[in-house]
Amino acid sequence: MSRIAIANQHGVLWARTDGPLSAPVSLELETAVLEAATVGRYQVIVLDLSQSPTVDSSGVGALVRLQTALATKGRRLILANPTTAVADELRLRDLYAFFQISHDLHPDMDQEELLLASDL
């Protein structure tokens, strides 16, 4: 049973996983998001991390690979609503600024609102 949900919300690809972002879920999420973004030709991809209590090195690696792969194709990845533990792990690894991270995002927001909602 997959713990990954992917949906089209106002032309934006929203992906979410419930539970820790660790192996093998992180690899499954990475593959699913890349495939869905490519097939659907989405320009903005939101990864909702509100239900991911923790992230380990495989999860961090998957996030970095996703960011890199999408950016090289001219697409935007937004990490939405990360839990404190996930945000702290990205800061600890000096990766927080590598991503566009935003809190208080929801699927009803349109693409422009999402792109302007970056945390500083």
Side-chain angles (χ1 to χ4, degrees):
M1 181 166 133
S2 179
R3 296 166 56 167
I4 297 171
I6 296 180
N8 175 344
Q9 299 289 338
H10 305 288
V12 174
L13 178 71
W14 278 77
R16 186 189 82 241
T17 183
D18 296 334
L21 189 54
S22 57
V25 173
S26 59
L27 181 58
E28 184 182 344
L29 177 68
E30 176 186 359
T31 302
V33 168
L34 285 175
E35 184 177 306
T38 301
V39 170
R41 297 187 179 161
Y42 292 97
Q43 294 303 306
V44 178
I45 298 91
V46 176
L47 180 53
D48 184 352
L49 298 172
S50 64
Q51 300 302 309
S52 297
T54 59
V55 62
D56 69 6
S57 59
S58 66
V60 170
L63 293 176
V64 169
R65 287 189 301 274
L66 265 175
Q67 169 65 18
T68 303
L70 293 168
T72 59
K73 295 177 181 174
R75 298 179 179 162
R76 299 281 295 269
L77 174 66
I78 301 170
L79 302 184
N81 313 316
T83 59
T84 301
V86 171
D88 287 349
E89 186 66 27
L90 294 175
R91 283 186 190 97
L92 179 69
R93 294 171 184 260
D94 202 22
L95 289 170
Y96 197 85
F98 180 71
F99 299 100
Q100 180 176 345
I101 299 175
S102 195
H103 295 270
D104 300 321
L105 295 187
H106 53 85
D108 292 333
M109 297 173 82
D110 66 29
Q111 190 169 331
E112 186 175 327
E113 289 175 301
L114 292 170
L115 291 174
L116 294 173
S118 176
D119 288 352
L120 298 176

